[in-house]
Structure formats: C-alpha cells, structure tokens
Amino acid sequence: MFIAFRDEVADALSGALSGAGYPTDDLGIEQPPSDVPAVLASSVAFRLAGEAGAPPPRVAGEIADAIDPDSLTYVDRVETQGPYVNFHPSEAYFDATLSAGQDESFGHLDPRRESVVVEHTSANPTGPVHVGRARNPIIGDAVANVLDFAGYDVERHYYVNDAGRQMAVFTWAYETFEESELPEPERDRAEYEMVRYYRRGNEFLEEGPEAEVEAAEAEIAAIMQGLEEGDEATYERVSEVVDRVLSGMHECLLRLPADFDEFVKETRFIRDGSTDEVVDRLQDLPESVYEEDAWQLELSEYGIEKNLVFVRSDGTSLYTTRDLAHHEWKFEAFDRAVTVLGEDHKLQADQLRAALDLLGNDVSQLENVIYSYVNLPEGKMSTRAGTGVDLDDLLDEAVARAREEYEKRAEDRLREDDLTETDVERIAEVVGIGAVRYDIVSKQPTKSITFRWDEALDFEAQSAPYVQYVHARCCGILDEAGEAGAVPEEPPDASTLDAPEERELLLTLARFEGVVERSADELEPHRVATYTRELAEAFNAFYRECPVLRADGELREARLALVRASRHAVANALGLLGVAAPDSM
C-alpha cells in the first residue's frame, strides 16, 4: 500500500503546486522521522520559499490548504509541521494493508517487463570457495532475489574463467601428477580432490628442477595457445578439469543456498570469434597503442592512468578482453547487466566500462555492486595450514554453533522440545546458515566487516535468529488457532485494530513494498535486512501488548489476520535475503 499512498500524495502535491503556479519537477517527498506519525512528508516548501517570497512554514500551509483529503483514498488528513507538509493515512490504508497481507506473495511488485542479468561469485575454478569471498554469492543472490521480487525478469549467471594461465597450469598438473603423489583430500568432494593437483603443480613450478620447469612452462604455454586458437582437443582437456572443480564449488554454493541459471564460460567468446572481433575494433581506436610488446588502450580521458592491456606479446588475449565480448553479448540479450565484484576488481571494472564505451556500447546498461571482504577474528576458527578458511568450514561451524545454542536454550527452559533428531538438525542448519547469510548481507557492501559468532547467533538482538523466531511465533499462533493455512473468506477489517502497537505493526507492514522497490532500484539488499529487524520489533511489541488467542470475536479475527500478514511479510523478506523462515525453533 505504500506505493499507492506515495503515488496519491505525488498527484495531490502536483495538483496543489500547479494550481498555485509553482513548478512540479521536485516534490520533495520523503519519509518523516520515526517520531512523526505521518506516512510521508514533503519538504517542497524549502525549495519554493524564495520564489514565493515567504518563509517555508507559510508556503507549507498554503500547499496543505490546497489539498482536499476528502478527494483522496489513502490519505486521511494533511497537516503542517514547520516547513513540512505531512500526510497521514486513512482507515482505507490500514484495511488495504491488512487485506494484502493475507496473500502469501505479499510485497511482490508488478512485472516491469525489463530483463536483468546478475553476474556474481565467478570465482576462478581452482579449488574450494574461500570464506573471504563469501560476501559475493551472498550479496549477489540477494540482489537477484530483490530484483526478481520487484518485478524484473532476472537471470543469475556465473562467469567461468576457463581460459587463463591458472587453468592451463591446473590442466598440466592434473595430467602430470599421480594421485599417489598427493595428500589426502580435505573433504570428499570434487574441488577438494582436484585442488591437490593445482597446489602440487604450483609447488613444482616454484621449486622443481630448472629443465623440468622449463618443459612444464612450454606445455602450459601450448595449452594457453591452443585455447586461444580454438583447438577442440585443448578445450576438452581443460574442460575436464574446469567442470569437475566447478561441480564441487557449485555444491558448496548450494549450501548457502546460491544457485545459477547459467555458467557462462569465457572460452565461449574465443571459440565463437567475438574476442577476435573485439580485438580488431580495439586496435582501430585512436586510443589504442602498441607498447612494451603488447596492445594497450589509453584511458586517461576517463581518469584512468593505467593502460588496459588487451593483447599480450605472444598474441593471446587477456581476461578483460574476453570479458568485453562477454559484456557485449549481455547487452544484446538483456536490458540491464549487474555485476557483483570485490573491491580489488574496481580498477578492472573501470577499465572495462571505459573500453565498452569506446567500443560504442550504452554503458548505462552496466551496474556494479562493489563489496569489501569478510574477515574472521583471530583464533575463532581453526585454519588448515596453507589453505585458509573455506566457506564450507564457516558453514559447518555455523550449523554446529546453532545446534549448541539450541540445546543450551532448551536446557535453560528446563524442558525437552517435542522434536526428533532430524528436526533438531534441520533447525540447526536453517538457523546456522541463515545467521551467516543475514549477518553478511545486512551490512552495507562497501564496508569491511568482521564476522562474529556471538552477534550472528544472538537470539535476542538484531540477527537472523531474532527475525526467524518471529516467523516461528506467527506459525505457532496460527497453528494453535487452527488457521495455519487459512485465508479469510471476507477481507479482514482493520478498524478494530486501534491499539498503538497494532497500528504501528500495520504501518510497518505497509512499508514492505516500498522497501523492496528502493532495494531493487539502488541494488542494496541490506535495506531489506534493516526492515526485517524493524518488522520483528513491531511484531514483538504487538505480541506483548495485544493477546491474540485470548481475544474475542472480531478482534480475535482481526489480530489473527495481522499475525498472518506478519508471517507472510517476514517469510518473504527473509526469502529475499536467502534466509529460511522456519515454522518452529
């Protein structure tokens, strides 16, 4: 209902300003401070004071007087507070919110008929996903979820680096060393088995006999050249390694869960000739120079001092060269292209955008979400020597700690829950992994974060378990009332919900679709996380002050409808963040 309210306010303001002869290009609509009970306010009087020759409060009063609330559906009254024009909700606003909340799709926006490809993770297929990179799939998946919920046609892509030196080294090592020469894999999964070859190969290249290293380097160069020339046999050799490693990495990411519609290999853009075509066009640009035995692009006009090298001295292309062809393919197939990148890729992203612009592309189609990395406090997790902390390690520990917390809380309650071992494992998985995802996605991407277990798994504070418990509580109330899956035959009436806590919860529920819209527009899913905490606080205040099952008649039905709407909002908001909403905890 928030969007309908906002649109109605915009129309009313435009009419009032136009009638008074004022311009309507900037209405100054914003959400007022939390201590102001209005849904929206306008600061337009500040802008018009000079033109009107009157102080802002007088201009605000003139605007408010020109708006007739009786002609509006969702606005009950228009008042001024100093220079602000405040718009207060009508009973129809509360009724519409409560009614909309009975639908499981509550908060979902209308289709926009605009396609978006979200590329995220895209970690090189050289071994297990490291915890430092965990922010990429978590943010990327949440961005894609929010865009999808906001009405966009979304595809999720993983861009696979299968043409660089790393993959040539990996392929050579896999074909060279015997498994008997390798240590035991750290886990029984493909990427852990395969990474042993990669590590052994790099050790050999650093420490092996000079003549043998030279021979190995020649073979590695031949693999890279074979890929560049589109040699089918070379491609199949490399693909065997890439596909096996990628299958294991995908299994890890599914634990989050983060899934993909397509794994797009960069060799695709070598084999179809599009990389060569991009190179030809780049070489024809006036910004193109041949220096230090390599073709480079001067980008100083874009404020970028470092040249973009797009062809090496041996005639092979680079990752960014192939990525240019990749992005031109995305621009043809989709209306928008969103890429989630670590902060260490910012220069490369700037070079890519500048080169795409020079090649004649509409770079407004391209949007980047840049994030800082995840750190872990020293000594808080065991680290395998020389390998760092893998994402699997973090998720395993999250589940184990969630189970410990559950068992501790059950002991504190001095009772045994009527749950099977399978139930306990399910709850630990949902709460533990949900805590990791929520804690990471709830922070602004550009801010560096240190993951702390005591904060992530705090059932009493601003964390995933705190919000998940609200969903479980809603389910418990509806189960006890025998209305777990019920949908009212008649639209619920919000008029009986006049307690301050009931009104505040309705107002918070009404904001959900506005939060979805802004999160999608600004590619900032952390706004949804902030909203879930506000919603949980509003629900808990309602739960403390407004008995549901002990209420009678219409009040009981209205409160059950409010619980149902809260359950749908919490479930959908958590779903946007990739966090499960358990029925019990």
Side-chain angles (χ1 to χ4, degrees), residues 22 27 216 396 507 533 574:
Y22 294 129
L27 301 177
D396 284 350
L507 288 170
R533 295 194 292 266
L574 286 175

Side-chain angles (χ1 to χ4, degrees), residues 226-243:
L227 288 174
E228 192 74 21
E229 295 170 356
D231 179 68
E232 190 64 29
T234 304
Y235 173 75
E236 289 178 0
R237 290 166 62 192
V238 175
S239 291
E240 181 181 356
V241 173
V242 170
D243 292 347

Side-chain angles (χ1 to χ4, degrees), residues 89-285:
S90 68
E91 200 60 39
Y93 183 72
F94 292 107
D95 279 337
T97 297
L98 189 60
S99 181
Q102 306 312 296
D103 194 318
E104 289 186 354
S105 65
F106 181 49
H108 203 298
L109 305 187
D110 294 335
R112 303 207 187 189
R113 293 178 175 81
E114 186 174 346
S115 60
V116 185
V117 57
V118 178
E119 177 198 331
H120 69 83
T121 309
S122 300
N124 291 343
T126 54
V129 181
H130 188 272
V131 71
R133 300 278 180 176
R135 211 169 183 182
N136 198 313
I138 289 173
I139 292 175
D141 188 60
V143 166
N145 292 342
V146 168
L147 286 168
D148 181 65
F149 207 72
Y152 293 94
D153 181 12
V154 178
E155 282 198 21
R156 298 156 170 83
H157 286 189
Y158 187 122
Y159 186 49
V160 184
N161 180 355
D162 65 335
R165 173 179 166 81
Q166 286 181 311
M167 298 320 302
V169 169
F170 207 148
T171 301
W172 160 78
Y174 180 64
E175 296 174 346
T176 299
F177 299 104
E178 298 293 333
E179 185 170 5
S180 59
E181 304 176 61
L182 308 174
E184 287 295 312
E186 294 161 357
R187 290 177 187 263
D188 183 20
R189 209 169 62 212
E191 79 272 39
Y192 289 92
E193 295 172 1
M194 294 293 290
V195 74
R196 299 175 299 161
Y197 294 95
Y198 183 64
R199 291 173 182 159
R200 179 71 182 92
N202 280 299
E203 289 171 2
F204 183 87
L205 293 175
E206 290 177 6
E207 304 169 1
E210 184 176 349
E212 293 181 33
V213 170
E214 287 181 2
E217 289 289 0
E219 176 59 22
I220 291 165
I223 293 171
M224 292 176 65
Q225 193 65 46
L227 288 174
E228 192 74 21
E229 295 170 356
D231 179 68
E232 190 64 29
T234 304
Y235 173 75
E236 289 178 0
R237 290 166 62 192
V238 175
S239 291
E240 181 181 356
V241 173
V242 170
D243 292 347
R244 287 192 63 185
V245 176
L246 200 59
S247 69
M249 296 172 72
H250 189 203
E251 282 189 52
C252 172
L253 293 168
L254 286 173
R255 295 185 65 188
L256 283 172
D259 203 358
F260 302 88
D261 296 297
E262 188 172 354
F263 288 84
V264 181
K265 293 183 176 180
E266 63 174 325
T267 50
R268 167 180 183 165
F269 305 102
I270 296 175
R271 302 172 78 204
D272 68 5
S274 58
T275 298
D276 287 340
E277 192 263 342
V278 163
V279 168
D280 290 341
R281 289 160 56 207
L282 288 172
Q283 289 174 334
D284 288 339
L285 293 171

Side-chain angles (χ1 to χ4, degrees), residues 279-311:
V279 168
D280 290 341
R281 289 160 56 207
L282 288 172
Q283 289 174 334
D284 288 339
L285 293 171
E287 293 82 3
S288 182
V289 296
Y290 189 78
E291 294 179 354
E292 300 178 0
D293 296 325
W295 280 99
Q296 305 180 35
L297 208 58
E298 292 183 339
L299 301 172
S300 56
E301 64 182 286
Y302 292 89
I304 302 171
E305 297 306 317
K306 185 177 178 61
N307 287 0
L308 170 63
V309 177
F310 60 90
V311 178

Side-chain angles (χ1 to χ4, degrees), residues 10 25 51 75 80 105 113 127 167 198 245 309 323 339 409 433 446 514 538 563 566:
D25 54 320
E51 184 175 343
V75 177
T80 61
S105 65
R113 293 178 175 81
M167 298 320 302
Y198 183 64
V245 176
V309 177
D323 205 16
T339 310
R409 291 171 66 83
I433 293 179
T446 54
V563 171
S566 301

Side-chain angles (χ1 to χ4, degrees), residues 267-530:
T267 50
R268 167 180 183 165
F269 305 102
I270 296 175
R271 302 172 78 204
D272 68 5
S274 58
T275 298
D276 287 340
E277 192 263 342
V278 163
V279 168
D280 290 341
R281 289 160 56 207
L282 288 172
Q283 289 174 334
D284 288 339
L285 293 171
E287 293 82 3
S288 182
V289 296
Y290 189 78
E291 294 179 354
E292 300 178 0
D293 296 325
W295 280 99
Q296 305 180 35
L297 208 58
E298 292 183 339
L299 301 172
S300 56
E301 64 182 286
Y302 292 89
I304 302 171
E305 297 306 317
K306 185 177 178 61
N307 287 0
L308 170 63
V309 177
F310 60 90
V311 178
R312 297 186 185 90
S313 57
D314 61 3
T316 57
S317 60
L318 286 85
Y319 177 89
T320 305
T321 324
R322 301 183 285 271
D323 205 16
L324 289 168
H326 171 220
H327 274 77
E328 291 195 325
W329 169 77
K330 289 200 285 190
F331 290 167
E332 289 183 7
F334 301 93
D335 298 314
R336 294 169 62 191
V338 175
T339 310
V340 182
L341 296 165
E343 59 191 355
D344 57 337
H345 287 81
K346 191 175 186 310
L347 172 61
Q348 180 184 319
D350 291 342
Q351 291 177 320
L352 180 78
R353 178 183 291 275
L356 285 167
D357 187 50
L358 288 172
L359 288 170
N361 295 280
D362 177 8
V363 293
S364 67
Q365 290 179 262
L366 178 61
E367 300 163 88
N368 294 323
V369 178
I370 305 293
Y371 67 92
S372 296
Y373 294 113
V374 177
N375 301 308
L376 293 172
E378 287 294 327
K380 294 297 184 181
M381 280 189 66
S382 59
T383 302
R384 297 193 183 95
T387 66
V389 178
D390 297 325
L391 178 57
D392 281 308
D393 298 328
L394 180 68
L395 298 182
D396 284 350
E397 186 152 349
V399 174
R401 286 178 181 252
R403 183 181 179 110
E404 289 175 8
E405 181 66 23
Y406 170 81
E407 291 172 347
K408 174 178 175 294
R409 291 171 66 83
E411 183 177 313
D412 290 345
R413 290 193 298 266
L414 300 177
R415 68 175 178 82
E416 289 293 329
D417 287 317
D418 186 22
L419 297 173
T420 66
E421 176 63 22
T422 301
D423 291 332
V424 174
E425 285 297 326
R426 173 185 56 79
I427 292 172
E429 186 88 8
V430 164
V431 173
I433 293 179
V436 170
R437 279 198 67 138
Y438 188 94
D439 191 75
I440 289 175
V441 80
S442 64
K443 313 296 195 305
Q444 290 189 36
T446 54
K447 292 185 177 180
S448 180
I449 61 172
T450 298
F451 182 85
R452 301 183 188 280
W453 292 108
D454 55 345
E455 296 174 4
L457 288 169
D458 191 341
F459 279 67
E460 310 300 335
Q462 309 297 298
S463 62
Y466 176 74
V467 180
Q468 288 173 314
Y469 196 75
V470 168
H471 184 267
R473 176 165 278 164
C474 290
C475 291
I477 293 171
L478 295 170
D479 279 339
E480 193 170 344
E483 295 195 8
V487 177
E489 293 184 7
E490 298 293 331
D493 183 357
S495 62
T496 58
L497 300 173
D498 55 6
E501 295 79 11
E502 294 168 328
R503 290 279 140 157
E504 182 59 33
L505 180 53
L506 279 167
L507 288 170
T508 305
L509 288 168
R511 288 197 294 111
F512 184 29
E513 62 179 16
V515 172
V516 171
E517 181 186 62
R518 185 173 181 185
S519 297
D521 289 347
E522 300 182 7
L523 302 178
E524 293 183 339
H526 70 272
R527 294 185 179 279
V528 178
T530 300

